[in-house]
Each structure stands twice: as C-alpha cells, then as structure tokens.
Amino acid sequence: MARAGDVGTVSLVREAAVALSATARDPMELVMACRQLIERRPSSGPLVWLSARMITGSEARAEAWDVVEAIERDTTARELAHVLAADTTVLVIGSPEIIGSALLARGDVGVLVADTIGEGYGLVHQLEINDHSVAEVPAGGVGSAAADADLVLLETDALCDGGALCRTGSLAAAAVAHHMRVPVWLVAGVGRCLPSRMWQPMADRSISDQPWDDEVEIVPLDLIDKVTGPSGPQPVAEARLRVDCPIAPELFR
C-alpha cells in the first residue's frame, strides 16, 4: 500500500480496504493488519474508522466497501466552496486536501498558504497554475497571516470533543485568529469525527514528548467557530452528532 502522503484520502482508504479484505476471513489476522495500518498513519481518522467498522461489523468486506463509498461521495469540499464569501482572504496550513479542492473551485478567493512543514508548495503551485491569487507564508509568519486574514481554514483528519488533530502551525493560527476575532473554521470530512475512546489513543501516538517537532498537533475546539463537513458549516457542538465510528479498543493494544 502507498505510503502516507503519496496519495489522497480516497485512494488511501480504497487501497486499505482492498488490503484488509484479504484478511477478512480470519478475525485475528484482520485485527493485526488493522493495527499495522494505523501504526503507519496514526493521525488518520478515516483509516481508524475503516478498521473499527471492519473488525466490529458482521461482514467485514461489506463494511469496508461501505466506508469507501462514503469517502468517495463526501461533499465537504463542494459545501465549503459554496459558502466561502467572494473577495475574502483565507489562511490555510500546508496543503490540505479537502480545503485545496474547495479553493481551486473559487477563483475569487485570495489564499495565504502557511508552509509549516515543507508541503505548502503543492497547493501554492496548483493555485498559481489556475490563476488564483495566492501567497506563500513562511512558518514564522503564521501569526501575522492569521491576524491579517478574513478567515482561517484548518483541516483535520480526526476530531472529538477533546480537540482536533491538525497540521503543525494550526494551533498558532487558531489562537491568534481567535484573539483577533478572525473566524476559524475546522474542515472535517467524512470519517473524521470519532468517539473520544478512539481519538485519544490516536493523539497519544501522534504527539511526542517534543510536540514542536511533530507534523500534527492538537487544536482545542474552543478556538473553533464552525465545523464544516458534508452538510456545510455547523456549530462545533453538532460535530458529535456525526460520530458513527464504533469503539474497538483492540486496535490500539
């Protein structure tokens, strides 16, 4: 299976479903395969969602392809593109997949891309070749960019009531924006809203004793104004209503 970051979430989940389905007849082998998958990308909510549904469902293969279909039909990018105001300037961190798709559909939105871990060039290049207004922001300029933007968009791969796992730099952007009263929207596609008992072990594995060296960090939800998903922007409290991941503690033993 492709390494994390080589492919988008849809392709990653589809490849994972194929690989895990090969072990579906043996419950113990399936659990071990799911654990190995999560170890490779511990901050991915969709992969945890896929694994949990497969090992707790009555028909693992059917669960796998239900998850793939749900990820493929995710309308979050389209909903986000629809609600962005014209002539606004947004700040994003890195090269977020869903946010990037939404911004590419909106040539009337200015974009500030904060390149905190060396991946922002991908989104900058895509926007430039499509004649979008875009500026690259160095890691040290995240705070100033957040204060200057009209909206901060953060993408998460996993969230629960305790917070959201986002690209490093997101916490600084959210904190400054919150203080300066700049709206902060958290973008959470299908499969990213998890119960706390599934999210916490992911966070424990993703955040080290030196969090400033990690690629992801925890953003508290009290810094977030809206959570944007398949139904568009909603109050943060409503994100818990989207949780449909079963609890499977054996994934993290």
Side-chain angles (χ1 to χ4, degrees):
M1 195 178 77
R3 290 181 297 110
D6 287 348
V7 295
T9 299
V10 172
S11 297
L12 187 65
V13 171
R14 187 187 302 114
E15 289 183 19
V18 171
L20 294 176
S21 291
T23 67
R25 293 183 181 276
D26 186 330
M28 289 301 298
E29 187 177 356
L30 175 60
V31 170
M32 291 301 296
C34 288
R35 288 177 182 172
Q36 292 173 357
L37 183 68
I38 292 170
E39 286 176 1
R40 294 178 183 175
R41 193 170 177 178
S43 63
S44 175
L47 291 186
V48 169
W49 183 45
L50 167 68
S51 299
R53 287 189 52 172
M54 287 189 71
I55 66 176
T56 61
S58 59
E59 177 48 61
R61 288 193 178 92
E63 292 287 344
W65 295 111
D66 283 348
V67 167
V68 171
E69 182 179 6
I71 294 288
E72 289 178 338
R73 297 175 63 181
D74 187 5
T75 60
T76 301
R78 186 173 68 205
E79 292 294 332
L80 177 60
H82 177 71
V83 298
L84 289 175
D87 300 320
T88 192
T89 298
V90 303
L91 170 65
V92 303
I93 307 297
S95 193
E97 182 180 357
I98 295 174
I99 294 173
S101 295
L103 293 176
L104 284 167
R106 291 295 304 271
D108 57 347
V109 173
V111 185
L112 303 174
V113 179
D115 193 2
T116 56
I117 62 170
E119 64 175 13
Y121 65 88
L123 179 58
V124 171
H125 177 68
Q126 285 184 300
L127 292 169
E128 285 180 338
I129 63 176
N130 284 279
D131 297 321
H132 287 57
S133 174
V134 57
E136 188 170 357
V137 177
V142 170
S144 295
D148 194 59
D150 300 310
L151 173 67
V152 172
L153 292 176
L154 305 177
E155 186 162 316
T156 181
D157 244 2
L159 80 152
C160 75
D161 290 343
L165 291 175
C166 301
R167 272 289 181 255
T168 292
S170 299
L171 177 57
V176 171
H178 183 73
H179 178 73
M180 300 297 292
R181 299 187 178 180
V182 174
V184 181
W185 290 5
L186 183 68
V187 178
V190 169
R192 276 78 167 182
C193 298
L194 305 175
S196 296
R197 287 183 61 188
M198 298 299 286
W199 181 88
Q200 190 59 57
M202 294 175 61
D204 292 342
R205 293 187 177 197
S206 301
I207 308 299
S208 70
D209 293 336
Q210 296 181 315
W212 46 87
D213 288 331
D214 297 331
E215 292 190 353
V216 296
E217 61 189 3
I218 299 173
V219 177
L221 295 189
D222 59 6
L223 297 178
I224 304 299
D225 296 289
K226 298 283 186 180
V227 175
T228 301
S231 299
Q234 296 179 318
V236 174
E238 292 186 13
R240 64 172 60 91
L241 301 178
R242 291 176 47 201
V243 173
D244 67 349
C245 177
I247 294 174
E250 60 267 42
L251 284 175
F252 300 101
R253 291 175 182 168

